[in-house]
Amino acid sequence: MKKPPSQEPEEQLTVTPPKTWAAGVPAVTHALEYSLDETSVRRTGVTLLSINQVGGIDCPGCAWADPSPGHRHLNEYCENGAKHINDEATTRRITADFFRRYPVSELSRRSDLWLNQQGRLTEPMIKRPNSDHYEPISWHDAIGLLADELKALDSADEAVFYTSGRVSNEAAFVLQLFARAFGTNNLPDCSNLCHESSGFALHETLGTGKGTVSLEDIHHADLIFLVGQNPGTNHPRQLSALEQAKLNGARIIAVNTLPEAGLLRFKNPQKARGVIGRGVQIADLFLHIRSGGDLALFQGVNRLLLEAEDARPGTVLDQDFIRANTSGFEEFDQHARTIAWDDILTATGLTREEIENVRDEVLRSERVIVCWAMGVTQQRHGVPTIREIVNFLLLRGNLGKAGAGVCPVRGHSNVQGDRTMGVWEQMPDSFLDALRDEFGFEPPRAHGLDAVNSIKAMREGRIKVFLGVAGNFVRAAPDSEITEDAMRQCGITAHISTKLNRSHTVCGRTALILPTLGRTEVDVQATGKQFVTVENSMSEVHSSHGRLEPASKVLLSEVAILCRLADRTLDGRTAIPWGEFEADYGTIRDRISHVVPGLQHFNRRVARPGGIRLPNPVNEGVYPTPVGKALFTCNAWEMPQVPEGHLLLQTLRSHDQWNTIPYTENDRYRGIHGSRQVVLVSPQDVSRFGLSQGQRVDLVSVWNGTERRAKDFEVVPYPTTPGCAAAYYPETNVLLPLDSVAESSNQPTAKSIVVRLEPRTGDAV
Ligand SMILES: Nc1nc2c(c(=O)[nH]1)N[C@H]1C(S)=C(S)[C@@H](COP(=O)(O)OP(=O)(O)OC[C@H]3O[C@@H](n4cnc5c(=O)[nH]c(N)nc54)[C@H](O)[C@@H]3O)O[C@H]1N2
Ligand SMILES: Nc1nc2c(c(=O)[nH]1)N[C@H]1C(S)=C(S)[C@@H](COP(=O)(O)OP(=O)(O)OC[C@H]3O[C@@H](n4cnc5c(=O)[nH]c(N)nc54)[C@H](O)[C@@H]3O)O[C@H]1N2
Ligand code: SF4
Ligand SMILES: [Mo]
């Protein structure tokens, strides 16, 4: 067993020029270095070779899709996939001794990196009221205690069940079934913080919340937009798909506030030309946009397309498509022509010529795909921006045909599947009716609490029980200090987790750690070895089979913990066969077949190599909106108000982290090493504010007369758009006000925080 470090790392910041290409050999070497540091050679080999293979382990990293079964490489994973797998497969262990040694008060001051480095959790632990230590507890007592707390509530709505997209379909289905049979829709999830804006906008305009494209579509598109996403770091195998598209003649337009390495050039480590050659240029056009300017950009492009149609009627817009499949074109057309060019140019920071170049690329392309991620969704105008992207695609009939469509690029490996399984605080009545018919109980109909509203309810003392599954709520949520206070108001906080994180150290009066199997591990139940299923960003549902020996013999699977908890809490109040579900996950899938449209005969169909592709009605030419057509919309925006002397800060991921968990202090592609306490500022702003490289500053966010502070960051001059700054999440979540949310979706605006930089000497800039 490897020994974890006992001290926090003490490195110095060094800065080198940002990289201009992604992946290639250094990426592979780097992944192996990380693997071998964390695990043994044998465990590394076993896990890596089975990642993303038919009958193997689904990568627990991002939700990017796998090539079809006949087209997979022997190494069908990226550098970061290898890191995520090995972070779970580590041979380091946390035992009861660890918790005897470290009081919770000390653990709560440790860094996220250090907590994660301590290794896998191995046995259930409890922190009792008035104690500062976790101590061991049996599974029977731990689950019984949580069940008793739930049963003692005055209302089921005093409980909250948070989950991340790391859990399987089976665990997600069981979780939501339990919550609803118990009587609440309080099912906040990481999607509330991630692609909620996409779901809202797509539902409203297309009648379905999911992306419409497949990998094949990406390969055969003529033009692909990458808007507000960093594929080199966050979806590295997307670069292989983009490479393929380029070899087939596609053009790519990247829109970002940062010139990310993966947007510029890709060296594919699986191909000789990627190892020794210059690789493939990714973006043909790079638009260095101002933060939040994407809505204005697409409005500008749309207006130019309408004017091009005026000049050459019948040649630009797909009039037949618009007539047959859409509604609201006339209003949209009128509105689009009223938007002032000056406003578009100010909001985007681009020149008119750059936007005209986009129009020209579009006019040359029959099949267009727009991909986007957090740069778009985590904005005040995230929902209208995506609606405008839909307007853009509808104008030329770029939906419901091969090589075209919408591609919200999902984060967690099963975040889309969790929603399909009913993990959402606002599931429609059709789903709740199906649950009722299948299981014979009446699910609650009132919408539950999402992530932001859960924090508000906890703060007000309205939540007594918090159960977190597979995430790190305290660090993922905005306004860290407020969120931590809110958690401490709960009577009991419990977490089903694989590794130690900050949420375990910010406790209710009582706290439970319920350690669980990871996706890489063999899961044996009463009827034998089990597998689970997940759904990727392209609506493909397939199986994942754990291969490794569990980190401890004591671990239970997520499904087992949830089924036992449900059984003990509901005391036979429903006829749901929790024991059968735990013994044989196939019986859960049978019931999913009856509840979730598109998954009929789930067990039989998922056994096929490649699994099941869920139908998307848009690809059948069906738009299940209230009017039965895709909707054009008129979208208004206001410029974010950034007072003089302030910047718009985005909080983002480094190359070496998985969400709330940094793996190291480095961000290789951006040339930052040895520290995450950095703020990236454009050279223009560095000189405008009289700052210098390496200067220490506090970041102070201002919001409705209140201030929040993140202390002691070093300034790094970086080619971000002037007026915009960037710093890492979760260290800067303390700056993100709980009330600063996207319109309609209530998603925190993690890419748009108004800040000023205050030199540590105390003089404000
Ligand atoms: N290695 C690794 N992979 C991951 C994750 C991880 O933490 N580590 N997390 C997973 C998860 S859950 C998710 S949701 C995804 C996230 O994937 P991304 O969305 O790629 O992640 P972020 O780091 O948040 O980066 C957002 C990008 O948007 C850009 N941006 C910011 N503001 C704007 C803007 O106003 N306009 C435009 N056009 N661009 C802007 C930023 O410069 C950055 O390139 O990644 C998934 N994959
Ligand atoms: N400021 C800011 N905040 C953000 C974002 C941002 O860009 N900026 N991004 C948001 C986004 S997109 C997301 S998705 C959220 C992510 O938020 P979460 O999904 O809540 O956070 P993670 O960091 O993925 O959770 C890590 C923990 O999951 C547990 N875990 C890992 N694997 C397993 C498993 O197999 N089973 C179980 N039971 N537990 C497991 C481990 O204990 C680990 O410590 O953060 C959001 N918050
Ligand atoms: S691209 Fe995403 S799913 Fe694929 S191997 Fe990398 S992290 Fe895993
Ligand atoms: Mo996410």
Side-chain angles (χ1 to χ4, degrees), residues 415-435:
V415 64
Q416 189 161 314
D418 288 357
R419 283 285 167 100
T420 308
M421 293 299 121
V423 173
W424 191 27
E425 76 285 349
Q426 312 183 18
M427 280 311 274
D429 278 337
S430 54
F431 181 89
L432 300 175
D433 291 346
L435 271 190

Side-chain angles (χ1 to χ4, degrees), residues 51-52 59 61-64 76-78 80-81 84 234-238:
I51 302 184
N52 296 330
C59 173
C62 75
W64 192 252
E76 195 50 71
Y77 56 87
C78 71
N80 278 342
H84 308 322
N234 297 317
H235 305 92
R237 281 190 313 152
Q238 184 179 5

Side-chain angles (χ1 to χ4, degrees), residues 88 116 121 162-167 190-191 193-195 374 378 411-412 469-473 475-478 496-501 504 516-519 558 651-653 658-661 729-730 732-733 736 750-751 753:
E88 178 174 304
N116 180 60
L121 295 159
Y162 171 72
T163 180
S164 89
R166 188 83 170 230
V167 298
C190 70
S191 270
L193 311 167
C194 184
H195 265 292
M374 299 302 102
Q378 294 177 335
H412 267 293
V469 189
N472 184 5
F473 186 72
R475 296 301 272 162
I496 301 180
S497 318
T498 49
K499 299 194 77 179
L500 190 63
N501 64 42
H504 305 117
T516 191
L517 295 175
R519 201 182 287 166
E558 286 154 350
T651 57
L652 81 179
R653 292 152 173 81
W658 175 258
N659 291 333
T660 63
I661 311 293
Y729 128 80
T732 45
N733 285 37
L736 176 51
K751 296 292 184 275
I753 309 174

